[in-house]
Amino acid sequence: MVDAITLEVMRNALQSIAEEMGVTLIRTALSPNIKDRKDCSTAIYTRDGRLVAQAEHIPLHLGLMQSVVKEVLKAYPVQNLAPGDALIINDPYISGSHLPDICIFMPVFYQGELIAVMANLAHHVDVGGRTPGSTPTNAASIFEEGLRIPPVKILKKGLFDQELMKVLSHNVRTGFEFNGDIRAQIAANSVGAKRLLELVQKYGLQKILIYMEELINYSERSLREEIKKLEEGTWQFTDYLEGDGITSNRITIKAAVTVREDNIKVDFTGSDLQTRGPVNSTRAVTLACVYFAVKAVLNPEIPSNEGISLPLEVITPPGTIVNPEFPSPVSGANINTAQRIADVILGCFAQFLAHKVTAASAGTMGLFTIGGIDPRTKEFYSYVETYGGGQGANVMGDGMDGVHTNMTNTLNTPSEVIEISYPLQVVSYSLRPDTEGPGRHRGGMGLCRAVKVMGHTAQVTLSSERGDLRPWGMNGGLPGGNSQNILIDSKGKEERKQPKLTTEVEEGTVIIYNTPGGGGYGSPLKRDPQEVAGDVSKALVSIQRARDLYGVVIDPETYEVDQRQTEALRKSEMEI
């Protein structure tokens, strides 16, 4: 018999195991992208591959990992698995993610019976391909993006497959980090398996299996109850990507959200066909965006597991930008397309749940990659980072400044770590003034980081969005600021580049990466003048912008609001 108290105990016990796996992975990894930025996720699955508990790491991975475990178990049914085995995979057309995201799975046995699967996913800084970082913005097929690993055993009955690891390491630029990060992933799963077996010893196998099922049922019931509260109907929204990295032609992403009884259907019919360039989103990535948006809007507290997917029907026409066919390139989808898919779904919800939805956030994960041969060590290096931007505002308040939003949840790499680890100098790192979306509640500010290449020629990849199509506001709020990619050569010549760029730069080049701000909520003329003055005093909003967009007149010496002039200016603006 299932009771609520034990269910909550089991929920937290399994969640804590997933979290401990994540801590183990982060603390034992070698690359800054995992140990500093925490670009990874860990989870526990039932023995038939259904998600039970996932650490609170990356929202994008919620859907990805749900899909891949089931596919791996098809390739390796239980009779082909043994205690001490671990499998590795990164093929996007099986795992769903892009090639740098490598998944490791470990079956857990108790008295000879398969009882669960431990899994993690980590973004490696290089998996081969035509550019360092393995995310070329101009790739025309997946074969240009790096090494594809099908489901194979990396650990066999507890023995590490040195031969396989040698093959994999010889096909990446940063073999030492690659090797260390793979071993960290295996260690994380081993810790998870040990903790789960301890839980079985404490409560008994049947109770653990019953409550795993009930946790999934609980999430499904909870989400269906939330859906029942909604108005029935269909709402549509369309947004665009600014090119695929090969052309600058706009790419349409369209969604229709239909609510009926205790189900939601999300239909992407009308979205453009798959592209030549690498912005194609696998179905698993698209599903992850749907799960995130629905959970975030309806009830963020529902446990993240298989149950979330059960009340949802998702239509992704084959051969389109949201469900491409092999061998279309996909490396940029996690970075940009996933964010736009999330925007489109949230845009649908905003039409009937505006009080629960934010204005558009930055709309890109802002990939910045630099690679080459480190003149200090004569070894290859690969600096990989995604950058935060402005969060969209909502009915409750302002958006946050310079944070990762929606499908991503990584940290930034500290400037000191960059300069110690790579032949790079961080010239500046700051918030970008005047990039907020003005509104009664303003959007968050974008970021700016300027990095100088020291002592060598390097390959640079910049992948962003919202260079022209700025993040939209809501309920009278204005759009957030746009992104900018700028190169300054060693002679001081400055050149603005397109949002998606893969190129070679000379020693002394400074790359300036400016991320978008978030959209505003409500009319900026209704924003509290004192809040505008506070932003001006912090050098986040200029005095001229305060006057022109917020109708607030501020003394340039004292930063105090001129109440009489402000009232007169706002009155005249509202009459126009």
Side-chain angles (χ1 to χ4, degrees):
M1 181 176 176
V2 173
D3 68 88
I5 294 175
T6 306
L7 180 65
E8 190 65 17
V9 169
M10 290 296 181
R11 171 189 172 180
N12 283 280
L14 292 168
Q15 184 70 28
S16 68
I17 292 173
E19 296 288 352
E20 185 178 357
M21 290 166 63
V23 171
T24 302
L25 174 52
I26 290 162
R27 293 186 66 180
T28 57
L30 290 183
S31 67
N33 195 52
I34 300 174
K35 69 180 181 181
D36 290 304
R37 298 193 59 247
K38 303 183 180 181
D39 193 349
C40 57
S41 286
T42 53
I44 303 171
Y45 293 79
T46 63
R47 54 188 166 191
D48 59 353
R50 290 172 296 142
L51 177 64
V52 175
Q54 181 167 354
E56 297 292 339
H57 290 165
I58 313 296
L60 181 64
H61 297 165
L62 172 60
L64 294 178
M65 297 180 72
Q66 262 192 155
S67 303
V68 64
V69 177
K70 294 176 184 177
E71 293 300 318
V72 169
L73 289 175
K74 290 178 184 177
Y76 278 88
V78 62
Q79 61 267 27
N80 295 335
L81 296 173
D85 284 353
L87 297 103
I88 183 172
I89 179 177
N90 78 336
D91 185 346
Y93 287 93
I94 301 175
S95 71
S97 194
H98 56 187
L99 292 172
D101 283 346
I102 294 180
C103 304
I104 302 283
F105 305 101
M106 180 175 287
V108 182
F109 288 84
Y110 179 72
Q111 296 181 352
E113 179 183 357
L114 177 66
I115 64 170
V117 177
M118 297 294 160
N120 63 62
L121 181 156
H123 185 121
H124 288 248
V125 294
D126 193 88
V127 289
R130 64 187 295 182
T131 61
S134 311
T135 51
T137 59
N138 52 2
S141 79
I142 196 169
F143 303 110
E144 300 174 56
E145 296 180 319
L147 185 66
R148 286 172 56 227
I149 309 170
V152 291
K153 291 184 180 181
I154 189 73
L155 207 64
K156 299 175 181 178
K157 296 182 180 180
L159 297 177
F160 191 72
D161 192 330
Q162 300 285 0
E163 299 296 319
L164 174 60
M165 197 64 199
K166 188 180 295 184
V167 171
L168 298 179
S169 298
H170 272 62
N171 283 278
V172 304
R173 294 173 178 84
T174 53
F176 180 73
E177 288 180 332
F178 179 85
N179 197 308
D181 289 346
I182 291 292
R183 291 176 182 273
Q185 289 182 260
I186 292 172
N189 283 347
S190 297
V191 167
K194 179 181 179 182
R195 295 290 181 260
L196 182 63
L197 291 174
E198 290 172 355
L199 206 63
V200 170
Q201 290 285 355
K202 183 175 182 179
Y203 292 101
L205 176 60
Q206 289 309 308
K207 177 172 280 193
I208 297 298
L209 296 179
I210 288 170
Y211 276 93
M212 281 183 171
E213 291 290 337
E214 189 54 31
L215 278 170
I216 294 172
N217 296 336
Y218 172 75
S219 290
E220 179 187 3
R221 288 195 306 270
S222 299
L223 186 55
R224 289 192 186 279
E225 288 302 315
E226 296 294 338
I227 295 172
K228 286 179 183 178
K229 301 174 186 177
L230 303 179
E231 174 187 355
E232 291 195 348
T234 298
W235 294 266
Q236 298 183 353
F237 196 86
T238 302
D239 211 333
Y240 306 89
L241 291 173
E242 299 169 331
D244 65 354
I246 294 176
T247 76
S248 57
N249 299 331
R250 289 185 181 178
I251 302 160
T252 300
I253 298 179
K254 180 179 181 180
V257 169
T258 299
V259 179
R260 289 286 183 273
E261 298 179 346
D262 61 352
N263 295 277
I264 290 178
K265 179 172 73 173
V266 182
D267 188 353
F268 290 94
T269 300
S271 298
D272 277 349
L273 296 176
Q274 63 191 46
T275 62
R276 186 181 173 209
V279 296
N280 298 293
S281 170
T282 64
R283 176 171 166 82
V285 167
T286 303
L287 289 175
C289 299
V290 173
Y291 301 155
F292 158 77
V294 171
K295 183 176 186 286
V297 172
L298 299 190
N299 186 349
E301 299 302 318
I302 296 176
S304 295
N305 61 45
E306 176 89 6
I308 292 173
S309 67
L310 300 179
L312 307 178
E313 177 188 0
V314 184
I315 298 174
T316 56
T320 64
I321 185 74
V322 295
N323 186 10
E325 296 176 342
F326 180 82
S328 296
V330 299
S331 60
N334 293 34
I335 299 152
N336 293 312
T337 315
Q339 297 287 53
R340 194 63 65 255
I341 293 170
D343 284 344
V344 167
I345 302 167
L346 292 172
C348 292
F349 280 119
Q351 297 172 53
F352 65 106
L353 289 172
H355 64 289
K356 286 194 168 186
V357 178
T358 66
S361 296
T364 174
M365 295 187 191
L367 177 71
F368 189 178
T369 297
I370 308 176
I373 297 178
D374 189 332
R376 302 170 300 179
T377 63
K378 310 304 179 186
E379 299 284 343
F380 276 103
Y381 77 94
S382 181
Y383 159 69
V384 175
E385 184 162 6
T386 55
Y387 281 47
Q391 181 189 41
N394 62 23
V395 69
M396 299 295 292
D398 296 346
M400 291 186 288
D401 302 322
V403 294
H404 286 276
T405 55
N406 291 349
M407 302 310 300
T408 180
N409 190 35
T410 55
L411 301 181
N412 69 336
T413 306
S415 297
E416 297 84 354
V417 171
I418 292 175
E419 294 184 344
I420 291 170
S421 304
Y422 310 109
L424 305 170
Q425 178 187 9
V426 179
V427 178
S428 65
Y429 188 33
S430 64
L431 296 175
R432 293 178 65 203
D434 289 349
T435 56
E436 89 295 355
R440 180 175 185 175
H441 298 139
R442 69 162 177 83
M445 304 288 170
L447 290 173
C448 173
R449 184 176 253 169
V451 177
K452 186 175 183 179
V453 176
M454 306 294 288
H456 70 298
T457 297
Q459 286 184 292
V460 174
T461 292
L462 302 172
S463 184
S464 63
E465 275 285 329
R466 299 299 194 192
D468 295 316
L469 301 173
R470 296 156 62 192
W472 38 267
M474 283 181 62
N475 196 28
L478 300 183
N482 62 336
S483 65
Q484 294 177 345
N485 297 335
I486 300 170
L487 298 185
I488 304 176
D489 66 21
S490 58
K491 297 178 182 177
K493 180 183 177 183
E494 182 175 312
E495 184 178 7
R496 182 170 175 178
K497 295 292 188 177
Q498 65 268 31
K500 300 174 184 69
L501 170 72
T502 294
T503 189
E504 187 172 88
V505 299
E506 299 298 324
E507 173 186 356
T509 300
V510 175
I511 305 110
I512 301 176
Y513 199 32
N514 292 320
T515 69
Y521 190 100
S523 170
L525 296 177
K526 294 182 179 180
R527 184 168 177 78
D528 185 339
Q530 295 303 323
E531 291 183 340
V532 177
D535 284 335
V536 170
S537 69
K538 297 171 186 174
L540 295 176
V541 174
S542 64
I543 288 178
Q544 190 64 47
R545 187 176 178 87
R547 183 186 185 99
D548 293 345
L549 297 181
Y550 293 94
V552 177
V553 180
I554 296 176
D555 186 297
E557 295 183 0
T558 65
Y559 296 121
E560 293 182 355
V561 177
D562 188 316
Q563 298 289 354
R564 183 180 61 81
Q565 290 192 51
T566 294
E567 290 174 7
L569 180 58
R570 285 189 161 183
K571 182 178 180 181
S572 66
E573 291 286 347
M574 290 180 179
E575 290 174 351
I576 295 176

